[in-house]
């Protein structure tokens, strides 16, 4: 079968990432308490570290979601009859392929639309999927899912997949805005496929974000290396400690970097000098965990009706299907 070259739409300016990093660094490092956005973990080294994390014995979410997709992709295809699969995030992972296989085998899938902020990552993913799925139209979108959902192509019915529990990195108001914007771009009858990590015992949750091998700690510290390289900062990465804690009230994991001594950090590219007190913590990630009733309430408020709810065999992670009404 003839390969169809992937089409790539670009909705970000060439300096988008650099400008966004400068803006986030200034906003976060002048705030009280200080914070940095988790998306800045993911340079090439950060992506490698995260892939390593997904293989750690303590980090169950990737395996649990893969188990569900392996068992349910055919059912997802039957329920949605999707002609277009949209994935917010990487389009080359094993989990994506499980979903593509189920939809292709059902016979309705014609188009795959991966959306990512990284043009290089998107082009690599699009080329790989094109090579492995002859006849499938691959139409990539370089964009930010908080800004460019209205740019998504593809024939109806579409299913928009947001996997990996990434929804947990958004705060409640941000999640509400996200669900509303997804609903606004879908026609009635189209679908959202959502991966959510579930509330469970705190020991299991904390271990998943503070593994015994220290890989997550290195991943957390990588955000400082990104600032050093991209903004000329002089963070001494080795004098920050990785901290992961369970916030029972908000039902989320928080990751922090704790300054082991007082220090002054210079960030020349944004003309900023930042003071850290000994023991001061810099927030780098929130990862919310969910109950089914909470997910149903949030999606219902945004204009979705439940289609299906599946968990892995140990009920650690959920994959749910929601139809726009």
């Amino acid at each position: 079968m003839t390969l169809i070259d992937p089409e790539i739409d670009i909705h970000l300016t060439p300096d988008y990432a650099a400008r966004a990093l400068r803006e986030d660094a200034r906003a976060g490092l002048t705030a009280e308490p200080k914070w940095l956005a988790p998306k800045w973990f993911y340079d090439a080294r950060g992506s490698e570290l995260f892939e390593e994390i997904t293989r750690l014995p303590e980090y169950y979410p990737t395996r649990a979601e893969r188990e569900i997709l392996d068992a349910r992709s055919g059912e997802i295809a039957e329920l949605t009859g999707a002609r277009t699969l949209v994935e917010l995030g990487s389009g080359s992972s094993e989990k994506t392929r499980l979903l593509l296989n189920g939809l292709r085998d059902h016979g309705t899938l014609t188009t795959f639309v991966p959306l990512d902020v990284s043009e290089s990552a998107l082009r690599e993913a699009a080329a790989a999927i094109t090579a492995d799925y002859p006849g499938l139209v691959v139409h990539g979108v370089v964009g930010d899912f908080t800004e460019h959902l209205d740019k998504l192509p593809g024939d109806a019915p579409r299913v928009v997949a947001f996997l990996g529990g990434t929804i947990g990195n958004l705060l409640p108001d941000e999640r509400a805005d996200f669900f509303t914007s997804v609903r606004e771009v879908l026609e009635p009858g189209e679908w959202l496929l959502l991966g959510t990590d579930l509330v469970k015992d705190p020991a299991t949750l904390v271990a998943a974000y503070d593994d015994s091998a220290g890989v997550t700690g290195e991943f957390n510290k990588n955000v400082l290396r990104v600032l050093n390289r991209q903004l000329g900062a002089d963070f001494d990465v080795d004098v920050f400690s990785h901290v992961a804690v369970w916030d029972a009230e908000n039902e989320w994991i928080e990751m922090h970097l704790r300054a082991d001594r007082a220090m002054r950090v210079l960030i020349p590219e944004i003309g900023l000098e930042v003071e850290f007190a000994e023991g001061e913590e810099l927030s780098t990630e929130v990862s919310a965990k969910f109950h089914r009733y909470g997910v149903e309430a949030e999606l219902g408020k945004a204009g979705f009706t439940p289609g299906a709810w599946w968990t892995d065999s140990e009920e650690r992670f959920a994959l749910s299907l929601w139809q726009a009404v």
Side-chain angles (χ1 to χ4, degrees):
M1 190 174 290
T2 304
L3 294 181
I4 304 170
D5 289 336
E7 183 176 351
I8 306 291
D9 298 339
I10 299 174
H11 298 294
L12 299 177
T13 60
D15 68 341
Y16 170 83
R19 188 178 70 251
L21 176 59
R22 291 194 297 269
E23 292 172 355
D24 276 3
R26 175 173 293 281
L29 292 173
T30 57
E32 184 58 46
K34 298 180 179 69
W35 58 268
L36 289 169
K39 63 184 175 181
W40 302 117
F41 292 139
Y42 296 96
D43 63 351
R45 177 57 179 153
S47 297
E48 290 173 0
L49 286 167
F50 184 72
E51 285 302 310
E52 191 174 342
I53 287 169
T54 65
R55 297 189 291 268
L56 293 169
E58 298 98 330
Y59 194 80
Y60 60 85
T62 301
R63 291 188 299 276
E65 188 176 46
R66 186 187 300 125
E67 177 192 322
I68 303 167
L69 283 167
D70 192 35
R72 303 294 184 176
S73 288
E75 194 172 343
I76 292 166
E78 290 178 9
L79 287 168
T80 64
R83 297 186 65 192
T84 301
L85 170 64
V86 177
E87 187 176 17
L88 308 183
S90 170
S92 62
S93 71
E94 180 185 349
K95 292 186 296 186
T96 304
R97 290 165 185 265
L98 290 171
L99 199 49
L100 284 170
N101 291 345
L103 291 165
R104 180 191 59 184
D105 293 348
H106 184 64
T108 56
L109 184 69
T110 63
T111 307
F112 175 54
V113 180
L115 180 146
D116 202 284
V117 295
S118 168
E119 182 178 349
S120 60
L122 187 75
R123 288 191 181 277
E124 182 178 346
I129 294 295
T130 296
D132 293 343
Y133 292 83
L136 181 67
V137 175
V138 179
H139 191 151
V141 177
V142 180
D144 188 322
F145 68 75
T146 65
E147 298 179 34
H148 300 113
L149 292 181
D150 61 336
K151 308 296 186 185
L152 297 174
D155 295 329
R158 295 172 295 175
V159 56
V160 174
F162 195 40
L163 304 177
T166 307
I167 190 66
N169 295 144
L170 303 182
L171 296 173
D173 286 349
E174 295 170 331
R175 289 201 303 270
D177 290 344
F178 170 75
F179 290 141
T180 298
S181 39
V182 173
R183 174 61 192 89
E184 286 174 350
V185 302
L186 294 180
E187 296 296 328
E190 293 189 310
W191 302 87
L192 169 66
L193 181 68
L194 182 67
T196 47
D197 197 7
L198 302 178
V199 174
K200 58 187 67 66
D201 67 282
T204 298
L205 287 165
V206 172
Y209 293 82
D210 193 11
D211 62 277
S212 58
V215 181
T216 310
E218 283 303 302
F219 175 69
N220 195 7
K221 292 180 184 182
N222 196 61
V223 72
L224 303 182
R225 296 188 179 96
V226 169
L227 266 61
N228 284 350
R229 188 181 65 256
Q230 300 287 352
L231 301 181
D234 61 355
F235 282 98
D236 185 344
V237 176
D238 293 334
V239 298
F240 283 85
S241 295
H242 168 65
V243 179
V245 295
W246 170 244
D247 182 330
E249 180 178 354
N250 289 303
E251 296 189 315
W252 61 44
I253 286 281
E254 293 181 1
M255 291 208 318
H256 302 267
L257 291 169
R258 178 184 295 147
D260 297 332
R261 60 170 172 79
M263 71 190 82
R264 177 181 296 125
V265 178
L266 300 178
I267 311 175
E269 287 295 315
I270 56 173
L272 194 63
E273 184 176 300
V274 183
E275 300 273 355
F276 284 87
E278 182 178 353
E280 183 177 356
E281 293 188 355
L282 167 68
S283 175
T284 54
E285 183 177 80
V286 164
S287 185
K289 310 304 172 185
F290 298 89
H291 299 278
R292 180 172 181 170
Y293 62 80
V295 179
E296 289 178 346
E298 291 189 32
L299 271 295
K301 187 175 181 181
F304 289 91
T305 187
W309 177 275
W310 303 286
T311 69
D312 65 294
S313 56
E314 297 183 44
E315 299 186 342
R316 299 165 297 178
F317 195 95
L319 195 66
S320 52
L321 192 61
W322 305 87
Q323 189 169 35
V325 293

